[in-house]
Amino acid sequence: MSWQRVAAVAAIPPGDYAQIEVDAVLVAVFNVGGEFYAIDDICTHDGGELAGGAVEGDVVICPRHGARFCLPTGAAMTPPAYEPVRTYPTRVVDGTVEIEVPD
């Protein structure tokens, strides 16, 4: 595993997100009240992007069909999604958000 830079902390203000591609997979990094959460940016229901969906607490709502996913765990919380999304550990180093990705 290795750490990959995403963006400066200031570039992802609370309530916002950033996207990064990791091994041909889009990953969304959300700032929820100063905590950063990273998940595969793909709804397990129909493959649409989750970034841009509303965030309520630590839950992102798929903008296409309303499935809800827990940002800390990736768990699918409501239909029409039943499978979780992958999560990635995050950290902040010298003002930069990083995610841990497979080598």
Side-chain angles (χ1 to χ4, degrees):
M1 301 294 267
S2 60
W3 291 93
Q4 185 166 341
R5 292 180 180 179
V6 176
V9 169
I12 315 172
D16 206 355
Y17 66 90
Q19 293 170 300
I20 184 171
E21 189 172 316
V22 177
D23 294 330
V25 174
L26 203 55
V27 175
V29 181
F30 295 87
N31 181 340
V32 179
E35 293 289 324
F36 292 93
Y37 300 102
I39 61 171
D40 278 349
D41 191 14
I42 186 164
C43 178
T44 58
H45 163 246
D46 74 352
E49 289 184 8
L50 295 171
V55 176
E56 295 179 355
D58 63 0
V59 173
V60 64
I61 303 168
C62 178
R64 291 177 48 91
H65 296 110
R68 294 171 180 255
F69 295 90
C70 177
L71 291 171
T73 68
M77 302 177 70
T78 61
Y82 296 95
E83 297 296 320
V85 292
R86 181 178 182 172
T87 62
Y88 299 82
T90 64
R91 69 180 185 185
V92 175
V93 176
D94 296 328
T96 300
V97 179
E98 299 180 345
I99 61 171
E100 190 175 32
V101 297
D103 288 332

